[in-house]
Amino acid sequence: MPSFLRCLVLLLGLVLAGCMTSKAPLLSADSRVLPFLPGTVFEVYERDDARAPWNKNAARSTFTADRSLVVRELDQTGKPKDDATYTFHPLGSERFLVQAQFKYGEPYAYGVLEVRNGEGLVTGLNCKSLDQAAFRRDGGTIKDDFCELDAAPDSLALLRKLAASPAGPQVRYVPVAK
């Protein structure tokens, strides 16, 4: 599995090197939305960055949401594929911050979802792809290739600043017609 779906599935997953993290969620439950209808089946394509070619995953993905708008990926039997949870929060027109937690008690990871022509494009906020000196000046810390937002005076403002021009691995979700 290419690195971003892992940073999305480990972010839509953040156990991977180079991700943007926080110990506590930065995005509140009252700002959650669903960019796609639960149960939508997607073909999934991944690439390491915006210049690389897309690689199609062999398996399709289906996501479901609970009443709190917490999203999980389902396996082929309709059960949660793993412990990863995702929430989506508006950033602008057809743009969303993705907040992921891959296992309960682990840090939260972040990315940006853009909906284009009915498809979802998730870009990870890769620590190695940003100006690390500027990130540190804004109060962020870098540890073991993870950019940590917790020490920043305004972690959410820093996250939104980074989300304005995300750089990192990408995952494309193409809805499958029934």
Side-chain angles (χ1 to χ4, degrees):
M1 178 185 304
S3 63
F4 185 72
L5 190 58
R6 278 178 262 151
C7 215
L8 178 70
V9 172
L10 258 180
L11 195 220
L12 267 213
L14 230 300
V15 181
L16 297 182
C19 294
M20 188 71 48
T21 67
S22 68
K23 291 178 184 164
L26 298 180
L27 303 162
S28 69
D30 23 333
S31 68
R32 293 177 186 160
V33 297
L34 294 177
F36 293 99
L37 292 175
T40 302
V41 177
F42 297 94
E43 287 185 339
V44 181
Y45 301 81
E46 301 175 35
R47 62 185 179 184
D48 292 333
D49 61 57
R51 295 175 307 279
W54 289 107
N55 297 305
K56 184 178 180 180
N57 288 354
R60 292 179 172 177
S61 290
T62 304
F63 296 90
T64 189
D66 64 18
R67 290 183 181 169
S68 299
L69 305 183
V70 174
V71 175
R72 291 181 177 274
E73 185 174 10
L74 301 177
D75 66 17
Q76 294 176 351
T77 68
K79 295 188 189 273
K81 186 174 182 177
D82 52 33
D83 294 334
T85 59
Y86 309 94
T87 58
F88 300 89
H89 307 263
L91 257 179
S93 178
E94 302 299 316
R95 294 188 80 232
F96 306 87
L97 277 170
V98 181
Q99 180 171 262
Q101 188 176 39
F102 303 110
K103 288 191 178 227
Y104 182 78
E106 289 186 355
Y108 291 82
Y110 299 91
V112 175
L113 167 67
E114 296 181 59
V115 178
R116 301 177 182 169
N117 301 317
E119 297 181 2
L121 177 65
V122 177
T123 303
L125 297 175
N126 188 314
C127 187
K128 293 179 180 182
S129 299
L130 59 90
D131 180 339
Q132 293 185 352
F135 181 74
R136 285 185 175 106
R137 279 193 304 274
D138 288 337
T141 57
I142 300 172
K143 184 176 180 182
D144 299 327
D145 290 330
F146 286 85
C147 284
E148 298 174 349
L149 296 159
D150 303 299
D154 188 342
S155 299
L156 182 54
L158 178 54
L159 176 61
R160 289 182 181 280
K161 176 181 174 181
L162 297 168
S165 51
Q170 295 184 313
V171 180
R172 189 171 122 211
Y173 292 90
V174 179
V176 175
K178 294 184 180 184

